Amino acid sequence: MNKIYINKVKQAGVKAFIMLLAPCSLLFASCNDWLDVRSETEAKEEDMFTKKGGFKDALTGIYLTMGDRAIYGENLTMGAVEELANLWYTPGNIYPDDLGLYYFEQHDYENINAKDLIKAIYGKLYNVAVQTNLLLKNLNEQGNNIDDSQLRNVIEGEAYAIRAYVHFDLLRLFGQLPKSATVNVRLPYCETASIKEYPAYYAYNAFVQKVEQDLNQAVSLLEKSDPVMDYSLSYYNNNEDMDSYLMYRRYRLNYWAVKALQARFYMYTGDATRAHSLAMEVINAKGRTDGESIVSLSGMTDLQNNCFALPHECLFALSKYDLLDYTPSRYVGGGTSRVYVDGNLRPLTLAISETMFNELFAGVNVASDNRYLYVWNRKAATSQNNPFPCIKKYWYDTKDDNVSSPTFNNLVIPMLRMSELYLIAIETTTDLSEANSLWNTYQRSHNVLLTEDAFASISDVQPVVQAEFMRELFAEGQMFYYYKSHGSSQMKWRVPTVKESEYVLPLPDTEFESK
């Protein structure tokens, strides 16, 4: 396995696993189709898991699928889900090749283009779940073929964590409001890889419990065997003294990433006490052997080194070797598709207006804040000499950023970062002194030095964190969920009041609950 680019793995085993799940890629019909593992593939499945390498390849294949543009490679990070939060400047008169994005921005889920986008997202998330279930099934049936108990625990723990990750996002997209819901939704929790079984549907509380159970199972397995318990995440970058498959832990759902996911989960479901406890546990975590912080805020160093996605503070990220194959045309203005801006055609770009940019950084010390200075390009897209700032988390300017060719750290999609945990801890603490101390540490990572406390009372915290949440996690796919978890009736750049139904994406037309 390639030690650097996990998503560039081309081993025959990974290809075989993806081919094995090929029927599950046709995810635009019923669950019956998604779980169609045909008889001719069953023999391949049996052969694949006769050696531990097959289990490794299967897990790698799942991470590859997570990086698909239909989900975390674009739609559920920088693209469609950010349209749901009304973060991108979306022209109102035409959106030629991505009408689904336009109708997501309008929250018009009945439009055929929006429905197609919903089917693509929903189907690919369940595709990941099915692949994970197939791996778990074979771990149960043939796990003895892995002669290393540490490796087996890590693979199984990561599999449970992945299943929890995708189902949690299904809940955040398609589920009801976590607070004061009047629209109740039942969702399928997919724990089967067989055509003979339909996934069971669960009401909100029961679905939440299923996610929680998978997270707890992942923690139980990983705390026994994950090497990140002993050293910082950086220690495992190309360490020649260990199994290469256990290296680069920040690009996998390692133990501390699962703890961070639990903090995000409890924050969303309204358990502030547990969210705070878990966030602080990760913030304060140190290796048992080296005593070093597991991971620290990296804004001061990463942004100066043109690593705009802050890879060194990621607890979990997807390495995406082909990222620059599509992000320049989508987020810089180099695409062939064109949209109207101010009555004129320009290349299709997901950008924001200059007014939006100024509002995003309102009240911020723009003379020193390194996100204002480095993370946005204000010249990349223009219309009639009006700038449309473009975010640089997923690309860079070869002239201005002194980067001539991509490196590992430029090809990263953040999935869980330390900055989010700081914001969770700050919002959920009941200790004013702690809130100010955490905020001060967090701001220093962005080169902002505070001379006095930011918060005079706990009631001052949430509005500040909400604005910071948008600034920090822009194009990482989290703001829509923040609004939804708080039941917000307003979004920053949406004029109409947000209706409850607009927070609940409808299930695909082909999806139904088997009675």
Side-chain angles (χ1 to χ4, degrees):
M1 171 175 161
N2 188 303
K3 293 182 179 180
I4 297 180
Y5 298 110
I6 187 172
N7 279 348
K8 205 171 182 179
V9 174
K10 301 298 183 183
Q11 295 176 344
V14 175
K15 291 181 180 178
F17 184 68
I18 294 173
M19 289 177 66
L20 180 67
L21 270 296
C24 300
S25 66
L26 302 175
L27 301 175
F28 304 146
S30 69
C31 282
N32 201 39
D33 294 316
W34 302 343
L35 305 181
D36 180 14
V37 181
R38 298 172 301 190
S39 58
E40 61 265 30
T41 66
E42 291 174 357
K44 294 179 183 179
E45 178 187 346
E46 291 175 3
D47 291 340
M48 181 173 185
F49 294 107
T50 57
K51 297 180 180 180
K52 67 180 179 182
F55 291 92
K56 291 180 179 181
D57 293 343
L59 184 58
T60 299
I62 295 169
Y63 282 112
L64 282 164
T65 305
M66 291 185 78
D68 192 287
R69 290 178 65 180
I71 45 177
Y72 302 108
E74 184 169 3
N75 279 337
L76 295 186
T77 49
M78 59 196 88
V81 73
E82 298 294 66
E83 292 283 14
L84 293 176
N86 292 100
L87 296 190
W88 296 121
Y89 179 86
T90 308
N93 45 357
I94 189 170
Y95 216 129
D97 291 338
D98 283 296
L99 287 170
L101 294 181
Y102 173 74
Y103 287 104
F104 262 39
E105 189 267 345
Q106 296 292 309
H107 296 173
D108 180 0
Y109 309 134
E110 294 304 311
N111 179 273
I112 186 61
N113 297 281
K115 286 184 175 184
D116 287 344
L117 186 52
I118 286 170
K119 285 193 293 186
I121 293 169
Y122 185 84
K124 189 60 70 172
L125 285 173
Y126 272 108
N127 179 263
V128 173
V130 170
Q131 291 189 36
T132 306
N133 293 336
L134 191 61
L135 173 57
L136 288 170
K137 178 176 81 76
N138 281 280
L139 279 165
N140 181 57
E141 296 173 355
Q142 303 188 70
N144 290 336
N145 291 326
I146 303 176
D147 56 6
D148 181 340
S149 61
Q150 179 191 26
L151 179 62
R152 175 173 175 171
N153 285 337
V154 168
I155 291 175
E156 188 172 3
E158 288 184 37
Y160 276 108
I162 291 170
R163 191 167 75 180
Y165 196 107
V166 297
H167 279 96
F168 179 38
D169 280 353
L170 284 158
L171 178 73
R172 295 198 292 176
L173 286 167
F174 298 95
Q176 65 199 53
L177 289 179
K179 299 177 182 177
S180 304
T182 61
V183 177
N184 297 313
V185 180
R186 292 173 62 85
L187 294 174
Y189 202 94
C190 185
E191 298 176 283
T192 181
S194 170
I195 188 175
K196 300 174 183 177
E197 298 179 64
Y198 282 95
Y201 277 64
Y202 297 90
Y204 175 81
N205 289 334
F207 193 98
V208 165
Q209 289 177 1
K210 298 295 290 185
V211 176
E212 187 175 37
Q213 288 168 6
D214 275 352
L215 288 171
N216 289 339
Q217 183 69 4
V219 167
S220 176
L221 288 160
L222 291 169
E223 69 182 347
K224 299 175 185 176
S225 301
D226 196 330
V228 299
M229 305 302 293
D230 294 321
Y231 295 93
S232 67
L233 286 177
S234 296
Y235 176 84
Y236 297 101
N237 294 348
N238 202 24
N239 188 315
E240 298 296 337
D241 296 328
M242 64 186 301
D243 183 338
S244 62
Y245 196 77
L246 295 177
M247 293 194 300
Y248 295 96
R249 297 301 293 151
R250 76 170 76 248
Y251 299 100
R252 309 288 282 271
L253 270 164
N254 61 78
Y255 174 82
W256 294 111
V258 179
K259 285 285 186 175
L261 182 57
Q262 286 181 311
R264 178 188 282 177
F265 169 77
Y266 287 118
M267 183 70 179
Y268 181 83
T269 55
D271 191 336
T273 300
R274 294 173 85 173
H276 178 264
S277 176
L278 285 156
M280 293 303 298
E281 182 181 354
V282 180
I283 288 169
N284 294 325
K286 297 182 184 300
R288 292 181 301 203
T289 300
D290 66 357
E292 297 291 328
S293 295
I294 295 298
V295 65
S296 302
L297 294 168
S298 66
M300 284 292 289
T301 54
D302 271 348
L303 295 183
Q304 290 177 354
N305 292 319
N306 303 308
C307 300
F308 303 118
L310 282 77
H312 293 96
E313 71 170 56
C314 286
L315 292 139
F316 171 41
L318 295 174
S319 66
K320 186 72 172 147
Y321 76 95
D322 62 344
L323 192 63
L324 295 179
D325 289 352
Y326 58 92
T327 52
S329 64
R330 301 287 282 153
Y331 301 94
V332 187
T336 57
S337 302
R338 306 184 70 79
V339 295
Y340 279 102
V341 176
D342 301 328
N344 295 309
L345 283 169
R346 70 175 179 87
L348 171 61
T349 303
L350 290 173
I352 63 176
S353 69
E354 183 75 355
T355 298
M356 294 165 71
F357 181 77
N358 291 333
E359 291 175 352
L360 182 65
F361 285 96
V364 171
N365 183 353
V366 296
S368 64
D369 192 296
N370 50 25
R371 292 163 305 179
Y372 180 91
L373 296 173
Y374 301 124
V375 177
W376 291 82
N377 187 317
R378 300 171 67 178
K379 300 177 293 183
T382 62
S383 174
Q384 296 180 329
N385 296 319
N386 294 321
F388 285 82
C390 303
I391 199 163
K392 295 195 293 184
K393 286 184 178 179
Y394 307 108
W395 62 278
Y396 49 83
D397 190 309
T398 55
K399 292 184 296 182
D400 294 343
D401 299 326
N402 298 315
V403 179
S404 58
S405 60
T407 68
F408 183 38
N409 293 319
N410 296 122
L411 302 171
V412 167
I413 296 177
M415 301 286 273
L416 287 158
R417 284 203 290 120
M418 284 296 289
S419 287
E420 181 181 353
L421 292 183
Y422 269 83
L423 295 176
I424 288 173
I426 293 164
E427 182 168 340
T428 55
T429 186
T430 58
D431 184 333
L432 180 61
S433 176
E434 182 180 65
N436 279 304
S437 176
L438 290 168
W439 183 257
N440 186 49
T441 300
Y442 168 79
Q443 287 294 328
R444 283 202 306 271
S445 76
H446 290 306
N447 200 36
V448 177
L449 302 179
L450 303 179
T451 58
E452 59 185 23
D453 287 345
F455 310 117
S457 69
I458 286 293
S459 62
D460 296 336
V461 173
Q462 193 277 326
V464 174
V465 169
Q466 177 169 321
E468 188 64 25
F469 204 88
M470 178 182 288
R471 272 189 294 271
E472 183 65 42
L473 300 175
F474 207 107
E476 295 182 35
Q478 299 303 317
M479 196 63 205
F480 176 72
Y481 307 136
Y482 185 95
Y483 284 138
K484 185 171 180 177
S485 68
H486 288 73
S488 301
S489 61
Q490 299 294 324
M491 293 181 179
K492 186 174 182 66
W493 292 319
R494 179 175 172 81
V495 175
T497 298
V498 185
K499 302 174 184 177
E500 180 180 353
S501 59
E502 292 176 326
Y503 280 120
V504 182
L505 273 65
L507 298 180
D509 292 339
T510 53
E511 179 62 16
F512 62 91
E513 182 174 3
S514 178
K515 301 298 185 181

